[in-house]
Amino acid sequence: MIKSISIIEGDGIGPEVIKQTIKVLNSIAKKYGHKFHYKNLLAGSKAIEKFGDPMPEETINHCLKADAVLFGCIGDPKYDHNPKGMRPEDGLLKLRKKMNLYCNIRPISIFPKLDKSPIKKELLNNVDFIIYRELTGGVYFGEKGRYKNGDKAYDHCIYSKKEIEKIGEKAFKAALFRKKKVTLVDKANVLETSRLWREVIKKISLDYPSIDLDFLYIDNASMQIIMNPKKFDIILTDNMFGDILSEESSVLTSSLGLLPSASIGDDKSMFEPIHGSYPQAEGKNIANPLGCILSGSMMLEYFGMYREKNLLEEAVKDSIEKEICTPDIIDSKLSSTTEEVGDYIKKYIIHQ
């Protein structure tokens, strides 16, 4: 199989984790006779410096033509106070909108070997849920600004029935192949957009009688993820709530650096770890590449390469079992470098 993949390394540790992911993907391609053609593209701070734009049109056009996009991470404190549309993060929002990546999928699963989570071990046994986060609507994309004197600010949150239906269908279809449970997280006691979400999702649920649907307010859901994470299967929620809950859920797994994601559109998709650019670790060879590598695994599944996905995930699990890990998830005296983790997973795949 031949696939074209747009590569956006981004900022901070992005180039380092992308390097290891490509190394692993190339070992998969070699083993199974695939050809992956990569196109490196600029976005984020480097694009601001070169083009004065965090997401140049050239980058967007290549992403729209590719079979998939593999994204590192984005963000640079140097540009935190740039005007609207000129921060690195603004570029990522722009790309998601242009590619119509409306469904963000964030799996949360536990590696029993790890013990860096502050949550009691007995609460973590068999935790396995997925967050379905709406990605192109809500407060992140609503009109925002300040009134003339600057003393008042506003961020509009708008959702349409169609936007909610699209991701709702995705979540219910996924639940059919799991534990058959969907939890809608909202704030329907306060927000009108949340009330619309409930109306639409209740109606969709009628077409899925085998799926158990329940509802949680965001404040309660935030507590339940820590106190009783086993209760969840599919969490369905809006853009901002999904962003917050997935970051919180990283506490269960031991590190934000372990979590992958897929952003799915009608005919285009992008794969990226959920962590930020972590500029403090840039160039130190200590960044955890597993979130990015597992995002590559989700990309293989998107391509229909199921054997390849399974082998890659088996290699990741083996690296953790053998304690070939970066210092965020193992004692720093025993830890491996970013490069060593990638090398181990590559060799595991080749020798299977």
Side-chain angles (χ1 to χ4, degrees):
M1 198 179 288
I2 300 173
K3 293 292 179 182
S4 64
I5 303 169
S6 288
I7 301 291
I8 299 177
E9 294 179 341
D11 303 320
I13 61 171
E16 297 167 65
V17 297
I18 285 284
K19 179 183 176 184
Q20 303 314 311
T21 304
I22 290 175
K23 181 190 294 182
V24 169
L25 289 173
N26 285 341
S27 68
I28 288 284
K30 183 176 180 181
K31 186 173 186 68
Y32 290 96
H34 302 306
K35 288 187 178 178
F36 295 146
H37 298 302
Y38 305 107
K39 175 71 174 177
N40 284 292
L41 303 166
L42 283 181
S45 63
K46 294 184 181 71
I48 293 173
E49 289 161 9
K50 186 169 183 179
F51 301 109
D53 185 343
M55 190 59 64
E57 287 301 318
E58 180 184 359
T59 295
I60 292 171
N61 290 337
H62 277 292
C63 290
L64 290 171
K65 292 173 186 173
D67 293 309
V69 178
L70 186 63
F71 198 102
C73 46
I74 207 162
D76 188 327
K78 184 167 59 173
Y79 297 104
D80 280 352
H81 301 293
N82 272 23
K84 178 184 172 183
M86 286 300 296
R87 297 182 307 122
E89 294 85 355
D90 294 329
L92 179 56
L93 294 178
K94 181 180 177 182
L95 181 61
R96 287 172 178 169
K97 198 72 172 178
K98 289 279 189 177
M99 294 180 69
N100 192 27
L101 304 177
Y102 64 90
C103 176
N104 185 238
I105 303 170
R106 298 186 168 191
I108 309 295
S109 55
I110 305 301
F111 295 96
K113 182 78 173 179
L114 302 178
D115 61 359
K116 287 277 190 172
S117 174
I119 310 300
K120 291 179 180 178
K121 274 273 188 184
E122 56 264 32
L123 295 177
L124 298 177
N125 293 333
N126 302 314
V127 168
D128 177 20
F129 62 89
I130 304 178
I131 298 171
Y132 272 66
R133 167 193 174 194
E134 200 288 322
L135 203 60
T136 56
V139 72
Y140 288 5
F141 287 94
E143 186 181 342
K144 47 184 59 65
R146 296 198 180 195
Y147 295 106
K148 287 183 181 179
N149 63 4
D151 292 340
K152 288 185 178 181
Y154 58 89
D155 295 279
H156 291 170
C157 182
I158 299 174
Y159 268 110
S160 69
K161 180 181 174 183
K162 183 178 178 183
E163 286 174 316
I164 299 166
E165 285 174 340
K166 285 179 75 174
I167 189 165
E169 288 286 347
K170 285 271 188 192
F172 275 89
K173 285 175 182 173
L176 288 171
F177 298 97
R178 290 178 53 86
K179 292 177 278 187
K180 294 183 167 56
K181 182 179 180 182
V182 172
T183 301
L184 177 65
V185 174
D186 60 27
K187 192 64 176 169
N189 58 335
V190 176
L191 301 177
E192 192 60 35
T193 48
S194 286
R195 286 190 273 272
L196 178 62
W197 271 80
R198 287 210 180 192
E199 291 170 18
V200 173
I201 298 305
K202 280 179 182 177
K203 187 174 180 182
I204 290 174
S205 72
L206 299 177
D207 295 328
Y208 296 88
S210 65
I211 303 299
D212 178 27
L213 172 65
D214 70 344
F215 304 92
L216 284 179
Y217 294 144
I218 178 63
D219 35 8
N220 188 14
S222 299
M223 289 191 295
Q224 294 299 323
I225 278 177
I226 299 301
M227 295 170 61
N228 189 17
K230 281 182 277 197
K231 74 175 288 179
F232 296 108
D233 181 23
I234 300 284
I235 293 177
L236 171 62
T237 191
D238 75 7
N239 203 339
M240 184 169 70
F241 294 159
D243 193 7
I244 294 166
L245 290 178
S246 55
E247 299 275 331
E248 180 193 12
S249 298
S250 69
V251 174
L252 306 175
T253 68
S254 290
S255 172
L256 197 61
L258 286 168
L259 299 187
S261 79
S263 299
I264 308 297
D266 292 323
D267 55 3
K268 299 295 174 187
S269 292
M270 180 165 69
F271 302 86
E272 58 177 314
I274 79 162
H275 61 70
S277 58
Y278 193 13
Q280 303 91 328
E282 182 179 356
K284 295 180 180 177
N285 205 17
I286 60 171
N288 192 337
L290 295 184
C292 196
I293 289 171
L294 289 169
S295 298
S297 172
M298 295 182 81
M299 183 176 70
L300 294 176
E301 182 177 24
Y302 173 73
F303 289 155
M305 300 178 181
Y306 303 112
R307 288 181 306 158
E308 294 87 332
K309 167 194 180 290
N310 290 338
L311 177 56
L312 192 158
E313 292 181 1
E314 180 186 306
V316 167
K317 287 175 184 173
D318 191 75
S319 73
I320 292 172
E321 287 294 321
K322 299 291 195 304
E323 298 187 340
I324 311 297
C325 303
T326 47
D328 57 318
I329 55 174
I330 198 172
D331 190 312
S332 58
K333 294 175 184 175
L334 305 172
S335 66
S336 302
T337 65
T338 307
E339 195 84 32
E340 287 168 343
V341 173
D343 286 341
Y344 182 89
I345 293 170
K346 169 190 169 183
K347 288 172 185 172
Y348 183 96
I349 289 167
I350 289 171
H351 292 127
Q352 290 304 301

